[in-house]
């Protein structure tokens, strides 16, 4: 395959924009379509942890994929800031993963044999790193490579960079259907007319599966709602991200903390609820007791694209040339944006793949 | 036609919701689908003037349609508040339409012969009604029946009422395609699965036309962006809505003024611009000079569904049973919501039509 | 005493503004001074219940004062809207006071003998009025006269009306000290220079006491922080205000509910806290269980001026002519604004007092 | 003078907080008092340019003071971030000062002889640096050392750092009067009681002069309102701050631009006005034409403490021991915060002064 002259990206979330960015720097003419504003769904609802280690429970190819993307981040962030003028708010501090229960302690310790550089910290050692921790903390692991970015700024930087690179961005323009000629996907029907391109990329997150039905292909992805809160403390309580089972606390450069996140499989519902605010407050206070008296800033929710086996879909279908799928990144969309952008760019420009995509085939059996 | 057991409404703007409300009170099972939140586009971007007279330049059926809907409003608002618990902020004050140029004066005076009760007011008389008017005002007409509501509250009241009446509301669920069996429209394909109903109503505003293409029918409607601003004055400057060519100023019960609106045919672009803020400020200050020093509150934009002849589309296609169209209300969506809801309800429940729909046929030649 | 030519009001909260309004309509030249914006402290932090009955635990003059102010409200609100162009959002629905515990039931029932028209409702009867009530409700009393206004709109209406009436409003201008000649208070020293008037009114809420120290008078008032939350429900859950011990839920015309309020004696601290949000959510859900899933809108706090015996200070000091005090309204500032405005106006313009002020003397022994 | 055991700072703006910070790191017990929230007036209304060169029209001690503070910034920002956990958003890009008129070109060129490293750039050269500049630009000077911070983040970092260092912060506590014993200033009377300390610092910006009246000293400072706007561009238009006579445009790390600022001597009035929004938009568009179509984000205003000769007041009065004045920083408060903090700390802890304070004596004749 040679470099395509033109590519249409369906879905301007962080995955779609990262692919568009990868292609645009190679000189490909890219059009990004979104049913609303760019990065308005899961992308900016995320906390922005680059948690290759903290989010992985077992070794294997997915762990390697996550680590590869994590390694790309500093340079990717720099380049994006250079082009866009917008800082991604990259912070090079790690994540302190703590255990509050015996079960969680056991799960965490089971990672020690295979996770590079992971070592068990006693309760006293965790409190030395973060003195505000609760006495209920039984110990933990410090993942020094699990840094963070601010998703809102990643989104703005990607948009600014794409425009600088001459890409076309069409917001408020839902895609209704793939246009298929023979068995080849050649374009898209939108509420603003038909568009054609050499290659089409589907990266519409939780809204992706229905567009594949004309191909008689059922992508088993579904929305998983996640609600977060932001609070402000008068003085900083923690300096690393602190992460326990079911709750994380991310310190920001602006003096706020992002606390997340619920996981709710209730369909296309992204309403925020006061009960989730209370729940997150209660969970976070169990980890850092002084959080009980913080000032509330805001709450929001997003719909992550979940998959049955927890792995994303990146790749092409066996009998639908012209179409590439990149979705299902669930809790790892921010982390995996650079590597997904790179892999799809390699795929579409005929370069050798840096990492094998077999485990992420949309046609795998979960 | 008997009462349908179930109806799907595509597009939960104020038109779709008003139709849903009309059907729901008749006991019909209604499902409202929207690509985002309800009433998040043109519906709540509007100013809420019930301007049957101020917006009409010639006599005829459309003027009658507007007046019929205007007459329905007080009771419709009361009923909605009763069911929903939310006030529509109905204000029974009229609109003072003023002329600043000779041409506009001539246009306004040309309405006097056919518009009931309209009489010309001299500059002095207009200033008696609104002492804050500029000396450049040459006179005008006071349209005492052109009252107002607050679109945001109409939207909230409709949503609350629909839920009270047991209707199903599915937000963030774009409709991708009509499902057609034979030539009958029987359902819709959405990002959240397929749905079927006895009748389908298409009321998706500027996003409507593309859904009709499978029927080989081209609805010539297009988005017309309108931007408004809201300002706050320390003390009230005007008590009626003041309307000149290209600019209106609507006083709200909360002490703010809504100033509108631009008309921009630039596609699916609903970005607000600072130049529009400046322009509206300048236009409003030309009418009410003391507006030059007000406090800025906010700005927003919406995409109105425009049509070539300025009339809405309300009705059915000759060979697509199961489908009813109600869109293209351009600047008159808030005003025409009650009558559109009533007419479509009559159409779908087999009742005689209160008003003939021929002028609004989607198949008319514009 | 004849009508004073000029009056300075120290403190532009709802009490100060209501007094200014009373004087201004009598033709007195009024200047209102505030350290910040008007009505930015307790006045707009309040919920706006006109709870003469619900807030009173025993008969006596204070109950009569509250009822007198309550009776004034409809006309006062109308006049203010007439002058200002702003609706106070007066709602003529009552308050359903419910008991969740045996003790609270006993306290409530003890009011029945002396409270006009109060009668006990069984649990079933309360649920008939508000079907969303919890099964834990043991019964209650419906106070049909305890209506509501929206404090934010009262504040805006008062400001607008004062400007219309020609009063001078100087915001961001703290008063540093009373200017005293002999023993007469003749003016105020502000950060923007010295100002003189025939009469000075001190209505600076929790910030009042320190300004009296030069008179060697210690007013025992203190700040009591109150935090509230606002939530939005998709459809209305209650139509009356529902009030239990320690928590009230006020339905608004815009479809939101105001839930309040904490009572914290921690000095001049008006920070909002997430723990208060959780607490109010939990308390409200105990009364109306379906509140557990509402959408969070906002939270805020204000500093009410508390007093040892719970009664306000309205009146003059025995040896400081020229000065009138009107503060210490604690939880009843919105309710008592009209009567306080009227009484101080009567006092300063030499009219007979409608109600005796002895119980509210700043010199009483609490 | 030895190190004082305790210091009270009147006014928690950026100057007061910077002094408190300087003292606190030396181990002094500091109490900061503010009539409202910290840094809520001019401090966070500023744009944050560290414009030692751009704001100076002639050589002399003030230019040296500005440059000294500018040189302190990188380390000061780092230390503050270290202690507080909050980034000051320091950006090491310079300011491009451009001339649009012949007069302004002449004024700018008059700086070349005495300003280190300043050299004239032709129109073509300025456009090479910032291609978005208008053709009306006649040339300019690039001030490479004039970097920027974000005032809101400076404020948050100072507050967080002060709390970490154990200082006491009392917000919503206006100071009414200095407490004087003999001729010595020994404390302050506040709305929350009397407080005593070895040294008192008056840094209350535009609200400072009235507190000096008991000392029969008239400080000729006055409020100068400045209004700014923030806009968002889809892609970055400029990468340096661009500054013309009467208008500057500051690019932020979040993709917004801050455009400022009006200068209005109208007393203690900090209302924002729509006419100022229009004016700033028009001025900025004259410099960077593509700014005409940006998205509006927000507007705000602050009251800068002006002085007759444009220089701040830093120092003590000849016969009021115990009191130090630090105010009147006009447009240079953010820039001069570090050096003012250092100089007052030196003064109060008996260290030799890094820079002579004679030009800034509150007793100088302007």
């Amino acid at each position: 395959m040679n470099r395509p002259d033109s590519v249409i990206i369906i879905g301007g979330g962080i995955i779609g924009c990262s692919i568009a960015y990868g292609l645009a720097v190679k000189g490909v003419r890219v059009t990004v379509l979104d049913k609303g504003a760019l990065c308005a769904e899961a992308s900016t609802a995320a906390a922005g942890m680059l948690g290759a280690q903290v989010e992985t429970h077992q070794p294997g190819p997915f762990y390697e994929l996550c680590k590869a993307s994590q390694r790309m981040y500093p340079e990717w962030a720099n380049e994006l800031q250079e082009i866009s003028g917008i800082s991604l708010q990259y912070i090079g501090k790690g994540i302190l993963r703590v255990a509050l229960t015996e079960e969680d302690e056991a799960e965490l310790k089971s990672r020690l044999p295979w996770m590079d550089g992971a070592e068990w910290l006693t309760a006293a050692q965790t409190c030395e790193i973060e003195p505000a921790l609760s006495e209920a903390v039984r110990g933990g692991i410090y993942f020094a490579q699990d840094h963070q970015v601010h998703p809102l700024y990643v989104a703005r930087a990607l948009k600014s960079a794409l425009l600088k690179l001459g890409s076309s961005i069409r917001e408020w323009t839902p895609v209704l259907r793939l246009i298929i000629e023979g068995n080849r996907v050649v374009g898209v029907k939108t509420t603003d007319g038909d568009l054609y391109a050499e290659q089409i990329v589907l990266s519409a997150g939780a809204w992706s599966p229905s567009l594949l039905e004309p191909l008689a292909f059922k992508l088993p992805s579904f929305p998983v709602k996640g609600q977060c809160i932001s609070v402000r403390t008068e003085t900083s309580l923690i300096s690393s991200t602190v992460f326990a089972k079911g709750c994380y606390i991310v310190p920001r450069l602006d003096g706020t903390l992002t606390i997340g996140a619920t996981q709710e499989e209730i369909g296309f519902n992204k309403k925020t609820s006061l009960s989730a605010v209370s729940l997150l407050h209660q969970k976070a206070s169990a980890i850092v007791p002084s959080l009980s008296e913080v000032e509330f800033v805001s709450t929001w929710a997003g719909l992550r694209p979940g998959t049955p086996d927890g792995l994303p879909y990146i790749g092409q279908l066996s009998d639908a040339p012209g179409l590439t799928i990149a979705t299902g990144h669930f809790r790892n969309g921010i982390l995996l944006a650079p590597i997904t952008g790179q892999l799809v760019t390699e795929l579409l420009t005929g370069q050798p793949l840096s990492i094998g995509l077999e485990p992420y085939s949309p046609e795998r059996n979960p």
Side-chain angles (χ1 to χ4, degrees), chain A:
Chain A
M1 189 193 289
N2 295 315
R3 204 189 68 177
D5 189 51
S6 61
V7 174
I8 286 171
I9 314 274
I10 307 171
I14 203 161
I15 293 297
C17 286
S18 176
I19 294 167
Y21 172 67
L23 290 165
V25 298
K26 295 286 183 204
V28 178
R29 197 154 44 83
V30 182
T31 299
V32 180
L33 297 164
D34 201 284
K35 70 174 179 22
L38 287 201
C39 293
E41 303 292 348
S43 302
T44 46
M49 288 177 291
L50 307 176
Q53 295 190 286
V54 79
E55 293 274 11
T56 312
H57 296 229
Q58 63 204 40
F62 185 60
Y63 179 45
E64 299 308 319
L65 183 79
C66 289
K67 284 203 300 179
S69 203
Q70 192 185 61
R71 280 190 301 265
M72 290 175 70
Y73 244 101
E75 196 181 323
W76 193 74
N78 269 344
E79 279 174 12
L80 261 175
Q81 176 164 356
E82 198 67 30
I83 298 177
S84 69
I86 296 172
S87 160
L88 278 67
Q89 310 278 312
Y90 187 94
I91 305 182
K93 284 233 166 182
I95 295 180
L96 181 59
R97 175 67 169 84
V98 297
L100 290 164
T101 64
E102 203 175 323
E103 292 74 12
D104 194 34
E105 182 177 339
E107 191 281 318
L108 268 184
K109 283 182 170 166
S110 75
R111 301 190 200 174
L112 295 173
W114 55 268
M115 215 169 235
D116 339 320
E119 60 181 271
W120 186 253
L121 302 171
T122 63
Q125 286 172 316
T126 58
C127 284
E128 218 164 284
I129 300 174
E130 292 297 347
L133 285 180
S134 160
E135 292 186 357
V137 166
R138 306 167 63 92
I141 303 177
Y142 186 74
F143 296 119
Q145 270 74 49
D146 283 3
H147 300 163
Q148 60 150 296
V149 289
H150 196 312
L152 188 58
Y153 293 76
V154 179
R156 288 178 186 161
L158 280 167
K159 183 177 187 178
S160 174
L162 286 172
L163 290 168
K164 283 271 181 194
L165 293 167
S167 300
S168 167
I169 294 177
R170 298 177 70 165
E171 297 174 291
W172 307 105
T173 307
V175 169
L176 300 169
R177 196 162 31 144
L178 300 175
I179 300 174
I180 301 168
E181 288 180 2
N183 70 339
R184 183 172 183 86
V185 178
V186 298
V188 294
K189 181 173 289 299
T190 81
T191 54
D192 200 20
D194 295 352
L195 297 171
Y196 293 84
E198 264 186 71
Q199 293 286 336
I200 312 291
V201 175
L202 176 59
S203 54
W207 287 268
S208 301
S210 53
L211 289 170
L212 293 167
E213 291 187 21
L215 298 168
F217 180 75
K218 194 152 177 53
L219 190 76
S221 181
F222 48 89
V224 183
K225 175 171 146 185
Q227 186 170 340
C228 290
I229 59 175
S230 169
V231 301
R232 176 166 287 124
T233 61
E234 298 208 291
T235 192
S236 67
L237 300 178
I238 55 172
S239 61
S240 321
T241 293
V242 175
F243 193 123
K245 196 169 156 56
C247 183
Y248 52 75
I249 311 165
V250 184
R252 298 280 184 214
L253 284 175
D254 65 359
T256 61
L257 299 170
T258 299
I259 299 172
T262 62
Q263 277 188 219
E264 307 163 63
E265 299 187 14
I266 51 172
F268 287 89
N269 169 331
K270 45 175 245 174
K271 298 182 182 97
T272 58
S273 82
L274 182 48
S275 61
V277 173
S278 292
L279 182 71
L280 291 168
H281 170 231
Q282 177 191 321
K283 282 188 175 185
S285 302
I287 308 170
V288 177
S290 43
L291 279 175
S292 66
E293 279 313 310
V294 293
E295 182 187 351
F296 180 81
V297 176
S298 62
T299 187
W300 64 90
L303 298 175
R304 314 174 190 96
T307 64
D309 60 5
L311 301 184
Y313 300 113
I314 310 173
Q316 298 172 327
L317 299 182
S318 46
D319 55 353
L323 178 71
T324 303
I325 295 171
T327 188
H329 290 71
F330 191 36
R331 292 170 61 107
N332 302 297
I334 309 298
L335 169 62
L336 294 176
I339 194 72
T340 305
Q342 177 180 311
L343 290 168
V344 174
T345 298
E346 288 167 356
L347 200 63
L348 295 187
T349 58
Q351 295 173 281
L353 289 175
S354 319
I355 292 179
L357 286 176
E358 299 73 23
Y360 317 112
S361 165
E363 293 171 316
R364 73 182 178 267
N365 271 331

